[in-house]
Amino acid sequence: MTFSRDTALGLFAMALAGAYLGAGAGIPESLLSDSVGANGVPRVIGYGLATVGLVLAARSLWRPASTDEDDNPAGALARAVGLLAILVGYLVIVERVGYPVSVALLIAASAAYAGAKPDARLAAAAIGGAALFWLMFGKLLGIPLPGGIFG
Amino acid sequence: MNFEALFASLAGVIWGIFGGALPGISPSIAMALLLPFTYGMEPVSAIVLLASVYVGAEYGGSIPAILIRTPGTNSAAATTIDGYEMARRGKAGEALGISLMCGLVGGLFGLLVLSTATEPLARVALAFTPPAYCALGILGLSVIASLSGGSLLKGLIAAFMGLMVATVGTDPVSGVPRFTFGHAELLGGIRPILVMVGLFAVAEMLEQISSPAWAKADARDTRLKLPGLAMWRRLWKTQVIGCSIGTLEGVTPGAGGTIAAFMAYNEAKRWSKHPEEFGKGSPEGVAAPECANNVVTGTALVPLLSLGIPGSNSAAVLLGGFMIHGLIPGPLLFQKAPEVVYGLYWGLLSANLFMVLVGLVILNPCIWLVNRPKPYLIAFILALVCTGVYAIDQSLFDLGLVLGAGVVGYAMRRFGVPVLPMVLGVVLGFLVESNYRRSLVLSGGDHAVFMQDPVALGLLAVAFVLTAYSLMREFRTK
């Protein structure tokens, strides 16, 4: 028996199904409810997911797939986490700092993180891009964007 | 059709393509943004303007789907599968050309159906009861097997995850909150477009950040390429499939372009001489969904014009446009204001032709844009995603959901789990559950209602045959 990615996926599916069924058990009953109930369909989905996860995990233990290799090394995961951190950073500051500044920072940070040189071209792209998006969404489409430090 | 209406058609198409290409601006939002401007317009021009936005937006959604793996609209999700694969193989211009011309074929066919068969098709719309809607959703889910990319178990895991997302929000029958964990933002459920943008665009950027730089594209690959005679010959069957499914789904209120696109993709794969190319950059894989979702722009207006039933958000905005001018869609519209109905037909015809003209002008610059240096492209895609998502409801919570979906999408790639069954689950989950339960409420809990309704029974039988066929093929190839 070998523990593979499919085994991990199967076990994860079972755990997710368990958490989902657990959360579903807390759905309040209503006097307006029908014969199926608010938790009826979620129960079917949860048990369905658990069953498929179990079959996948069992199959991968007894009959491991021949191409079950990790072609995505840990370095790639770290790079992805770094980019995600930049996006979360944008999410945290956009309301406080305001849209134009935040989106300029997002463009500059993510481009630099992806390999752009921190030079005048990058600064121009960040400022120009922020202005373009602000004009397009804020002015042309009339969408209220967070003002932040600009009120 | 006067000059003002013709100009309205051109302006509507340009605005629609622009809006549809921006993630977060759905066709109905693009139409709604123009609604206030129609007050002072002639009724024909106003209706033509709104209908042209719809045509343009449905097409525009496929541009980012092909170029940056970000569907601009829900119905463009199926186009990302082979459109983006073609773009990755240096065939972005060819994919966009196929999408444009098959969109034109679909749009014109939809218009033909709308203008000649509105009355008989309206009866089809009336025949749809809750059991039939439930069966329609199950028919849509039956394509999961062929979207699973060779691993049915993983496809099922993805589909169940999508169905789980679809259960978040207020219960459709009793009204109690489910899986909202105290967040008021979740009471209305999770919009499918948020999940799609996360699964496709954010996950792709997380993947690309550690991939080597893209090879410089050949100049020939960065130009729009319209399909030649040989390609048309290859695609004719696909377009027949797209037109048939687009007609059926379009006339059914609530079905819409997304289900049509996925089903057309599935059937095109089933009937193709090269099914092995699907998912790896098949031209038919672009043609089928593009044709189907553009047919829907015409056929979705059948229930609106004939019965006054808006079958989609976009049709509801169009209904608003009619009402602003004191017009009530329905059987009497053809007697009371025939000039508006025929003006709309001419407007849709010109909108489809303008779609090609505008497409020919803007697609080359779009291809040029996505061939800019990778770091800048990643940065601008992320900025577009963050801004577009915020534009939907001005909610940072939504942006958090998109990032979460992006992480899930990235993890699914690492574990070799296909994302499309999850998208299908998210899109169809609510339709299936709400109509299943409504059917049981109406029948007093008797499941025989699904066998007694002829439309439901027919759709369930087709779903069963399609699933059995897909499973047989899956097991035979192993």
Side-chain angles (χ1 to χ4, degrees):
Chain A
M1 282 200 295
T2 29
F3 191 88
S4 66
R5 275 194 299 171
D6 279 3
T7 320
L9 177 63
L11 293 176
F12 169 77
M14 288 164 68
L16 180 66
Y20 180 72
L21 287 167
I27 295 173
E29 280 300 318
S30 164
L31 289 173
L32 297 171
S33 197
D34 53 342
S35 58
V36 177
N39 192 27
V41 171
R43 245 195 327 260
V44 173
I45 295 169
Y47 285 123
L49 180 61
T51 308
V52 177
L54 179 67
V55 173
L56 181 68
R59 196 184 70 171
S60 65
L61 282 173
W62 301 113
R63 207 181 66 191
S66 54
T67 55
D68 195 18
E69 294 164 11
D70 196 341
D71 54 356
N72 207 341
L77 181 62
R79 294 275 300 158
V81 171
L83 185 62
L84 191 65
I86 292 173
L87 287 165
V88 172
Y90 169 81
L91 190 62
V92 171
I93 67 165
V94 67
E95 252 177 358
R96 286 168 212 169
V97 180
Y99 175 78
V101 176
S102 310
V103 84
L105 289 173
L106 172 68
I107 292 172
S110 49
Y113 187 70
K117 284 185 193 151
D119 54 12
R121 187 185 176 196
L122 178 63
I127 295 167
L132 177 74
F133 283 120
W134 181 71
L135 284 172
M136 206 160 63
F137 283 90
K139 293 294 159 189
L140 187 62
L141 294 172
I143 289 155
L145 297 166
I149 51 176
F150 299 109
Chain B
M1 191 176 163
N2 56 30
F3 179 76
E4 187 188 315
L6 200 65
F7 179 75
S9 175
L10 175 63
V13 166
I14 294 172
W15 178 260
I17 291 179
F18 172 69
L22 295 175
I25 307 295
S26 63
S28 55
I29 294 176
M31 290 167 77
L33 285 167
L34 284 190
L35 207 52
F37 297 101
T38 64
Y39 274 94
M41 294 172 75
E42 287 287 314
V44 174
S45 304
I47 300 305
V48 165
L49 176 73
L50 294 173
S52 302
V53 174
Y54 183 30
V55 171
E58 283 295 347
Y59 170 67
S62 64
I63 299 172
I66 290 169
L67 293 176
I68 57 174
R69 207 173 189 247
T70 305
T73 56
N74 286 348
S75 58
T79 308
T80 55
I81 312 168
D82 282 283
Y84 184 69
E85 277 304 315
M86 284 184 79
R88 268 167 58 119
R89 287 156 202 249
K91 293 181 179 173
E94 191 179 352
L96 286 168
I98 291 171
S99 149
L100 181 64
M101 297 314 290
C102 291
L104 174 69
V105 170
L108 293 180
F109 184 81
L111 174 60
L112 184 72
V113 172
L114 174 71
S115 54
T116 57
T118 294
E119 201 190 338
L121 285 173
R123 289 193 212 117
V124 176
L126 277 180
F128 267 75
T129 54
Y133 276 114
C134 175
L136 182 72
I138 290 171
L139 178 63
L141 287 173
S142 70
V143 307
I144 284 171
S146 52
L147 293 178
S148 295
S151 175
L152 183 62
L153 286 176
K154 290 182 182 178
L156 284 173
I157 286 179
F160 278 122
M161 285 166 64
L163 291 171
M164 282 165 62
V165 172
T167 58
V168 174
T170 306
D171 177 53
V173 174
S174 65
V176 298
R178 299 187 301 183
F179 308 108
T180 56
F181 307 105
H183 291 283
E185 294 94 335
L186 290 175
L187 284 173
I190 296 175
R191 289 176 186 265
I193 191 73
L194 301 179
V195 180
M196 287 187 211
V197 170
L199 288 180
F200 289 118
V202 177
E204 179 70 17
M205 293 306 107
L206 293 176
E207 182 93 20
Q208 287 295 339
I209 198 73
S210 56
S211 307
W214 293 311
K216 189 124 181 97
D218 189 290
R220 282 169 304 172
D221 298 333
T222 58
R223 280 199 296 267
L224 179 68
K225 187 181 167 194
L226 297 179
L229 200 61
M231 184 57 80
W232 279 116
R233 259 193 229 123
R234 181 174 172 178
L235 298 179
W236 75 267
K237 201 159 65 178
T238 311
Q239 295 187 56
V240 171
I241 291 170
C243 288
S244 312
I245 293 176
T247 302
L248 176 72
E249 299 289 341
V251 299
T252 311
T258 313
I259 306 178
F262 273 108
M263 288 202 63
Y265 180 87
N266 187 54
E267 292 313 304
K269 183 179 177 185
R270 189 192 314 278
W271 296 100
S272 171
K273 286 180 183 166
H274 313 281
E276 72 286 353
E277 288 180 16
F278 277 71
K280 296 170 188 158
S282 165
E284 290 145 293
V286 176
E290 282 304 297
C291 187
N293 68 29
N294 280 281
V295 171
V296 172
T297 59
T299 53
L301 303 183
V302 168
L304 177 69
L305 288 185
S306 56
L307 305 168
I309 301 170
S312 64
N313 290 341
S314 305
V317 178
L318 193 59
L319 175 65
F322 274 105
M323 295 175 87
I324 282 172
H325 291 278
L327 302 164
I328 308 293
L332 289 179
L333 183 69
F334 290 82
Q335 291 169 18
K336 284 188 174 172
E339 74 284 358
V340 174
V341 177
Y342 296 114
L344 173 63
Y345 293 165
W346 282 108
L348 284 171
L349 175 65
S350 56
N352 276 285
L353 299 177
F354 282 137
M355 180 182 85
V356 176
L357 281 180
V358 176
L360 290 174
V361 173
I362 65 158
L363 288 180
N364 276 328
C366 288
I367 300 170
W368 177 86
L369 268 176
V370 295
N371 279 298
R372 296 308 88 212
K374 184 176 163 184
Y376 289 97
L377 191 59
I378 287 179
F380 275 83
I381 291 173
L382 290 175
L384 179 63
V385 164
C386 290
T387 315
V389 167
Y390 184 81
I392 299 174
D393 272 335
Q394 290 83 59
S395 162
L396 289 176
F397 187 85
D398 283 356
L399 187 53
L401 288 177
V402 169
L403 296 187
V407 172
V408 171
Y410 180 72
M412 288 170 85
R413 282 166 179 232
R414 290 201 74 170
F415 283 90
V417 180
V419 296
L420 286 167
M422 180 165 175
V423 171
L424 216 55
V426 174
V427 171
L428 295 177
F430 185 79
L431 178 79
V432 173
E433 185 191 1
S434 57
N435 285 292
Y436 167 69
R437 292 176 58 193
R438 268 181 211 135
S439 306
L440 292 183
V441 167
L442 292 172
S443 69
D446 185 3
H447 280 83
V449 69
F450 295 100
M451 301 294 124
Q452 288 157 355
D453 185 301
V455 179
L457 185 61
L459 290 170
L460 286 173
V462 175
F464 177 78
V465 170
L466 294 184
T467 307
Y469 180 81
S470 299
L471 290 176
M472 266 168 51
R473 208 169 59 176
E474 160 115 1
F475 287 118
R476 231 181 256 163
T477 52
K478 289 215 162 170

